[in-house]
Amino acid sequence: MAFAKWPLLLALACAPALALDLHGLKPDEIAVWAAPVEGDGPATAHRADAPVNPASTMKLLTGWAALNRLGPDYRWKTALLSAAPVEGDALKGDLYWLGGGDPRFDNGDLLSLLYSLRLRGIRQLDGRLLLDKRAFVNVAGADDFDGDAGRAFVVAPDTHLVNLKVAWLTFFNEADLLQRWPRAEGGAGPAAGRR
């Protein structure tokens, strides 16, 4: 579908505010904002400043635009970078974690990233771990969705998102101790407490 057809499609999307029957939806219940990826301003807008949950069709349009712009072979890039020298098993300087915003980056990916340091012989960092968040400098958050605050699906865009910012802990009783799994190394340690 060519971008030239977008104004027509978007006019149809805004038409509910004017004429189409949307099965009970009113003009003040929808919001539309669209602009070409490379262009000057919005092609069309209706209640563009109103915070609303995106409809599934909007998610499809976003997915289509991403596939069209990035291509089906696009992969999110997450990397550890440093110009510091390695002496023995220590990196003698700062380590930069270049976050690319991979939405499916999980504990396994993080462990693989750290394992790549081990494969280079690095077991100690004599510097700082710095998070490079430049990839999302111009991305807005989800602050206006107050009604959904605290819900797992309302996660602010983050270049260093791990496990969708969700942590799962399982608690169980063992010999009069409340245990957390996974346990700290060496037995109960700090992961346990008296009931």
Side-chain angles (χ1 to χ4, degrees), residues 69-149:
R69 175 86 171 153
L70 302 173
D73 295 328
Y74 179 81
R75 297 296 177 263
W76 303 96
K77 294 169 184 71
T78 302
L80 296 174
L81 306 169
S82 182
V86 177
E87 293 178 14
D89 64 354
L91 181 66
K92 297 293 187 178
D94 295 338
L95 179 66
Y96 293 86
W97 179 358
L98 178 65
D102 184 347
R104 302 306 298 171
F105 194 81
D106 62 15
N107 283 344
D109 296 316
L110 182 57
L111 289 173
S112 293
L113 199 61
L114 295 174
Y115 185 64
S116 70
L117 290 175
R118 293 285 177 123
L119 290 177
R120 290 176 174 82
I122 299 170
R123 297 185 175 274
Q124 179 178 324
L125 176 60
D126 290 344
R128 300 170 296 170
L129 174 62
L130 302 170
L131 305 183
D132 184 334
K133 294 182 170 277
R134 285 179 288 169
F136 284 1
V137 166
N138 297 319
V139 176
D143 299 333
D144 293 330
F145 293 101
D146 293 333
D148 292 325

Side-chain angles (χ1 to χ4, degrees), residues 44-81:
T44 189
H46 170 72
R47 295 183 66 237
D49 292 334
V52 295
N53 252 338
S56 294
T57 52
M58 190 65 212
K59 296 171 193 167
L60 288 172
L61 182 60
T62 302
W64 173 82
L67 281 170
N68 201 23
R69 175 86 171 153
L70 302 173
D73 295 328
Y74 179 81
R75 297 296 177 263
W76 303 96
K77 294 169 184 71
T78 302
L80 296 174
L81 306 169

Side-chain angles (χ1 to χ4, degrees), residues 19-52:
L20 292 179
D21 175 17
L22 281 181
H23 305 284
L25 287 176
K26 298 179 179 104
D28 63 344
E29 294 175 334
I30 65 166
V32 175
W33 183 93
V37 172
E38 295 171 0
D40 291 331
T44 189
H46 170 72
R47 295 183 66 237
D49 292 334
V52 295

